Amino acid sequence: MFGSKRVDDEMELKRERTVRFYPDEKQNPAKPIYQIAKPGGIVTSRFGSGSSGKSKVFAEDHEPWRKRILDPGSDLVLKWNRVFLVSCLVALFIDPLYFYLPSVRKGDKTSCIRMDYCLSIVVTFFRTLADLFYVLHIAIKFRTAYVAPSSRVFGRGELVMDPKKIARRYLRSDFFVDVAAALPLPQIVIWLVIPASRNSRADHDSNALALIVLIQYIPRLYLIFPLSYQIIKAAGVVTKTAWAGAAYNLLLYMIASHVLGASWYLLSVERQTTCWKSECRKENGTQGTPLCDLKFLDCESSNRSDRQIWANNTAVFTNCDASNSDISFNYGIFAPALTNDAVSLGFIKKYFYCLWWGLQNLSSYGQTLNTSTFIGETSFAILIAILGLVLFAHLIGNMQTYLQSITVRLEEWRLKRRDTEEWMRHRQLPHDLRERVRRFVQYKWLATRGVDEESILQSLPADLRRDIQRHLCLDLVRRVPFFSQMDDQLLDAICERLVSSLSTEGTYIVREGDPVTEMLFIIRGRLESSTTNGGRTGFFNSITLRPGGFCGEELLAWALVPKSAVNLPSSTRTVRALVEVEAFALRAEDLKFVANQFRRLHSKKLQHTFRFYSPHWRTWAACSIQAAWHRFKRRKMARDLSMRESFSSQSDEQAADEAGKEEEDSNSSSTNPSLLKQNLEVMILASKFAASTRKGAQKIKGIDMPKLQKPDEPDFSAHPYE
């Protein structure tokens, strides 16, 4: 049942199906495994008899490594190319070390040629390790896909994943070059060819055989260039930093000096043996000369009796002494290695001496060399001059490019600052304006290092740009209390449209009455927000905005109107930077989009938060509270006045009654003049107090309290049609 259904599905999808049987590790002896070729890899499903439709799907990562096809643009291949490039540089350094194996051992009267077997073992070991990287690179290239040339018309192109096509293409292109680079030729020459030549005929051509190593050096050197091209094609650059790029080019130049010094050392030894052989052939046992055998020049024959007899009578070493200026043999440019006994020193000493010689002559193009008429020596000097000119020019050019890339931003900023100074001087700007311009340019450089962040973000895809903006702005945006009430979807929309804004000390962000073009959210620094209520005389209000605050809220009320006017709203406040300020800005068109999202919140909490942190609303609330307090005080004083007036009238009536009674008493009895005078004074004082109280009430009624227009209420509710 499952098999027929699977066949039908595969026929509909027109995919290839292969059936294989593998023994199961549990109960079922064999279960069919279906492999369906898909563009992204191979999907494997396992079905067994009696199973209830369950299947196991294995991704491409679970394929055996022997069958996996690698993408040439993947991170794995890129990392391997970098590792293999390092191994190639190490191999280029190891190969010339074989040239230091032969050395001259000097005695009291005789000398001989010997091989440094300890150095041979060490160099052979590291050379074999380097060869393994070349072999592994060949195996990887057999499993690395390539882009079909016919599919490069658009985009990256189509990868060819067929192993047979990959192998066929590799065998026709770079296979033989890679094999030639991986062959262990130095090991064969040192451990097989040279010992065999010594046993057959000891004419000491082993030094010439060692030069065969240079033949393999050519393909190894060639592999660096396509390998660097592949790394540049995948990653854009060979090295990630400019300093690493400069060090890489300097390393190539040092390797060239290393190869040149090693070749000079080997040729110096070869010129020494050439002189010995020429003098040895002259001693043929006639005319009183001892009989010379070429085997006597090898240190392995130093213990032979005939060799010792010959050494006591021969003139070969005297006639080939490079320090003797009377000899007829001209060593030319190889004389310093022989006169300074560099061919007889230990490995470390002679290596650094030869490296210095190679670096010196490669940098000076061989101008200090005094050559002989020997053709090989002259050709070597010509090669030094040509390589020195080419490599030194290449080194200086690349070093300059890499080092200039480090300071390119600084140089651009310096030129821009110079242009700004010339422009300010040409326009005759006053000193204070010049200082403000200089502070802004300096502060912008410290904040951005001359990088135009907005242009970089605009060149990226929308999804990647959104993630970067979220990473950069989300934590900072959450610090703003007005934004902390919103969900992640709205915060993403805000972060995507925020732009950075920098202001130096004393900069006016916006002035009262000017159009508001953006809403500013403070991240660092302090702003002063002040208002005169439209220039009203005697009115001034000022507050300090700190990190987390915002200004330009008039723009939000304008943006929340469904059919807002084309003209931007006017600012009700003047905003000035007290110190250097870093902030995020929402422009009018971006805020219009975000405001449409706000309507879906239906949140009273957001409305209260906006009112609480809005400077305009705070000023209006303070003025309203102040006006209400003055109204309360006026009503209270009016009540007190009415109570005092009623009390005064009652006092007048009582005083009149007492005066009538006293008048009656005075008629009936003797009148007391002092008591009458006291009552009269009380009445006069009461009338004066009532008059002054009435006058104060009239003054209070005439006071005009400042009236501040209530800010527009942002519409946080949804539209009726929503």
Side-chain angles (χ1 to χ4, degrees):
M1 178 177 66
F2 291 103
S4 61
K5 182 178 180 181
R6 186 70 177 181
V7 171
D8 294 336
D9 294 338
E10 291 173 355
M11 291 179 63
E12 292 177 0
L13 296 174
K14 297 181 179 180
R15 295 173 177 173
E16 181 183 0
R17 186 194 70 177
T18 59
V19 182
R20 300 179 185 176
F21 291 90
Y22 295 100
D24 195 2
E25 59 275 4
K26 291 186 178 180
Q27 297 178 357
N28 299 329
K31 292 183 181 180
I33 298 178
Y34 296 89
Q35 292 184 349
I36 305 175
K38 298 182 72 174
I42 298 178
V43 179
T44 306
S45 300
R46 185 187 296 268
F47 297 92
S49 58
S51 62
S52 58
K54 296 182 179 180
S55 62
K56 297 180 180 179
V57 180
F58 301 93
E60 184 182 0
D61 294 340
H62 291 80
E63 295 180 22
W65 64 269
R66 298 184 303 274
K67 298 182 180 180
R68 187 176 302 175
I69 302 298
L70 302 177
D71 185 356
S74 62
D75 293 337
L76 178 62
V77 175
L78 179 60
K79 291 180 181 179
W80 166 251
N81 287 337
R82 294 185 185 276
V83 172
F84 184 63
L85 179 61
V86 174
S87 68
C88 288
L89 296 177
V90 173
L92 292 178
F93 173 80
I94 292 175
D95 286 354
L97 295 180
Y98 280 104
F99 296 163
Y100 292 99
L101 297 184
S103 62
V104 177
R105 188 176 69 181
K106 289 188 176 182
D108 295 337
K109 296 181 179 179
T110 62
S111 301
C112 60
I113 298 295
R114 68 183 182 90
M115 296 292 294
D116 191 346
Y117 287 103
C118 294
L119 181 62
S120 301
I121 295 173
V122 174
V123 175
T124 301
F125 172 75
F126 286 104
R127 165 64 195 238
T128 305
L129 291 180
D131 292 341
L132 294 178
F133 280 91
Y134 284 92
V135 175
L136 183 59
H137 183 65
I138 294 175
I140 290 177
K141 293 188 73 172
F142 271 111
R143 308 304 300 177
T144 303
Y146 67 94
V147 179
S150 59
S151 63
R152 294 176 182 172
V153 179
F154 179 76
R156 179 185 174 186
E158 182 180 355
L159 290 178
V160 177
M161 309 290 288
D162 189 1
K164 294 183 179 180
K165 293 182 179 179
I166 295 173
R168 192 180 302 116
R169 179 178 179 271
Y170 180 47
L171 290 174
R172 290 198 304 262
S173 57
D174 299 333
F175 174 73
F176 293 102
V177 177
D178 294 341
V179 171
L183 290 176
L185 291 182
Q187 296 93 313
I188 296 175
V189 171
I190 297 301
W191 297 104
L192 297 178
V193 177
I194 291 179
S197 64
R198 284 177 179 170
N199 293 332
S200 60
R201 59 182 188 86
D203 57 355
H204 293 277
D205 286 337
S206 57
N207 294 333
L209 290 176
L211 291 176
I212 298 177
V213 176
L214 291 176
I215 299 176
Q216 193 182 24
Y217 209 79
I218 296 175
R220 291 203 166 195
L221 184 63
Y222 165 78
L223 286 180
I224 292 181
F225 299 102
L227 190 61
S228 301
Y229 173 74
Q230 292 178 6
I231 296 176
I232 293 174
K233 187 177 180 181
V237 290
V238 177
T239 56
K240 296 181 179 180
T241 61
W243 284 109
Y248 172 72
N249 285 274
L250 182 60
L251 180 62
L252 293 178
Y253 191 78
M254 294 299 297
I255 289 178
S257 303
H258 163 65
V259 175
L260 188 62
S263 302
W264 175 70
Y265 172 84
L266 183 62
L267 291 176
S268 300
V269 176
E270 196 274 336
R271 289 296 288 169
Q272 179 73 82
T273 57
T274 300
C275 180
W276 288 348
K277 286 185 287 185
S278 64
E279 294 294 328
C280 184
R281 291 190 182 97
K282 295 178 182 179
E283 296 182 349
N284 52 8
T286 60
Q287 299 178 357
T289 59
L291 181 63
C292 179
D293 189 355
L294 293 178
K295 293 182 180 180
F296 293 162
L297 303 178
D298 196 340
C299 291
E300 294 182 356
S301 63
S302 59
N303 296 326
R304 293 172 51 180
S305 59
D306 53 349
R307 200 267 181 189
Q308 294 177 357
I309 296 173
W310 169 81
N312 293 329
N313 300 320
T314 184
V316 171
F317 303 109
T318 304
N319 296 333
C320 293
D321 188 3
S323 59
N324 187 1
S325 59
D326 297 332
I327 63 175
S328 59
F329 193 87
N330 188 1
Y331 286 101
I333 63 176
F334 307 109
L338 302 175
T339 56
N340 295 324
D341 292 334
V343 294
S344 304
L345 298 174
F347 170 71
I348 300 297
K349 293 182 179 179
K350 66 184 178 183
Y351 169 75
F352 281 101
Y353 180 78
C354 295
L355 178 63
W356 170 84
W357 187 93
L359 183 61
Q360 178 191 32
N361 288 278
L362 196 64
S363 303
S364 62
Y365 317 139
Q367 296 179 3
T368 60
L369 297 177
N370 295 320
T371 63
S372 64
T373 57
F374 179 57
I375 296 178
E377 181 181 344
T378 307
S379 302
F380 185 67
I382 294 174
L383 182 63
I384 291 175
I386 296 175
L387 287 179
L389 179 62
V390 174
L391 294 178
F392 192 74
H394 181 268
L395 172 67
I396 295 300
N398 287 340
M399 289 283 285
Q400 184 179 7
T401 301
Y402 280 106
L403 294 180
Q404 280 184 348
S405 64
I406 300 175
T407 59
V408 61
R409 294 295 179 188
L410 183 61
E411 184 66 18
E412 290 178 356
W413 174 74
R414 188 185 65 82
L415 293 176
K416 184 177 181 181
R417 186 171 183 176
R418 187 188 64 181
D419 295 341
T420 305
E421 291 289 340
E422 292 180 357
W423 174 79
M424 290 190 298
R425 185 169 54 254
H426 176 68
R427 296 301 180 186
Q428 299 180 359
L429 295 183
H431 180 72
D432 57 341
L433 289 181
R434 293 189 184 187
E435 287 298 324
R436 290 174 60 186
V437 172
R438 294 189 188 105
R439 286 200 305 268
F440 176 77
V441 173
Q442 180 69 21
Y443 182 66
K444 187 174 182 181
W445 164 257
L446 294 175
T448 63
R449 290 296 175 184
V451 179
D452 189 359
E453 299 177 353
E454 190 171 353
S455 63
I456 294 176
L457 291 174
Q458 290 299 325
S459 63
L460 298 176
D463 181 64
L464 182 58
R465 183 169 62 248
R466 186 183 304 110
D467 293 340
I468 294 176
Q469 289 282 59
R470 178 183 177 88
H471 171 73
L472 296 176
C473 307
L474 186 60
D475 292 338
L476 298 176
V477 167
R478 288 186 187 275
R479 297 180 187 176
V480 181
F482 181 62
F483 289 148
S484 62
Q485 310 295 330
M486 303 177 186
D487 57 9
D488 291 340
Q489 183 180 4
L490 292 176
L491 290 178
D492 287 341
I494 292 172
C495 290
E496 187 177 357
R497 288 160 177 83
L498 285 177
V499 294
S500 61
S501 176
L502 304 175
S503 303
T504 57
E505 181 181 355
T507 302
Y508 283 88
I509 309 298
V510 65
R511 297 179 185 269
E512 188 174 357
D514 292 346
V516 182
T517 59
E518 61 185 13
M519 193 173 180
L520 210 64
F521 302 92
I522 306 172
I523 302 302
R524 298 180 185 91
R526 289 178 289 111
L527 295 176
E528 180 190 37
S529 178
S530 59
T531 181
T532 59
N533 193 19
R536 183 172 180 176
T537 305
F539 183 89
F540 181 79
N541 172 262
S542 176
I543 61 173
T544 301
L545 301 178
R546 303 182 182 277
F550 57 89
C551 62
E553 63 273 11
E554 300 89 352
L555 197 63
L556 180 60
W558 167 84
L560 286 172
V561 177
K563 296 181 179 180
S564 57
V566 178
N567 297 329
L568 296 174
S570 298
S571 176
T572 59
R573 308 187 70 84
T574 298
V575 182
R576 185 175 64 92
L578 298 177
V579 293
E580 284 78 8
V581 176
E582 297 180 17
F584 286 126
L586 266 178
R587 296 169 181 169
E589 58 273 12
D590 297 327
L591 188 59
K592 188 70 175 176
F593 172 81
V594 177
N596 293 330
Q597 306 296 322
F598 288 168
R599 292 198 189 92
R600 293 199 289 268
L601 290 175
H602 306 287
S603 174
K604 286 290 184 183
K605 190 175 182 180
L606 181 62
Q607 184 177 4
H608 296 330
T609 303
F610 175 79
R611 288 181 177 179
F612 182 78
Y613 288 98
S614 171
H616 196 183
W617 275 89
R618 285 186 174 187
T619 304
W620 176 82
C623 293
S624 300
I625 294 174
Q626 189 177 11
W629 172 253
H630 281 285
R631 288 194 300 269
F632 169 75
K633 293 288 291 184
R634 187 169 60 246
R635 288 195 297 268
K636 184 178 180 182
M637 292 182 68
R639 286 197 301 268
D640 294 342
L641 178 61
S642 61
M643 291 176 62
R644 288 169 183 171
E645 288 180 347
S646 61
F647 175 76
S648 176
S649 61
Q650 291 177 3
S651 300
D652 292 341
E653 291 177 358
Q654 292 177 0
D657 294 340
E658 291 178 358
K661 290 179 180 180
E662 291 177 356
E663 187 176 356
E664 291 176 358
D665 294 339
S666 63
N667 295 330
S668 61
S669 62
S670 60
T671 303
N672 191 354
S674 61
L675 183 61
L676 292 176
K677 185 178 180 180
Q678 185 178 2
N679 291 335
L680 182 61
E681 289 177 355
V682 170
M683 293 176 62
I684 293 172
L685 289 175
S687 62
K688 286 183 178 181
F689 176 76
S692 62
T693 305
R694 192 177 300 106
K695 184 177 180 181
Q698 292 175 357
K699 288 183 178 179
I700 292 176
K701 290 181 180 179
I703 292 177
D704 247 350
M705 295 304 300
K707 295 181 180 179
L708 187 67
Q709 185 179 1
K710 181 180 179 181
D712 296 333
E713 180 76 19
D715 184 13
F716 288 94
S717 61
H719 285 299
Y721 53 81
E722 290 183 349

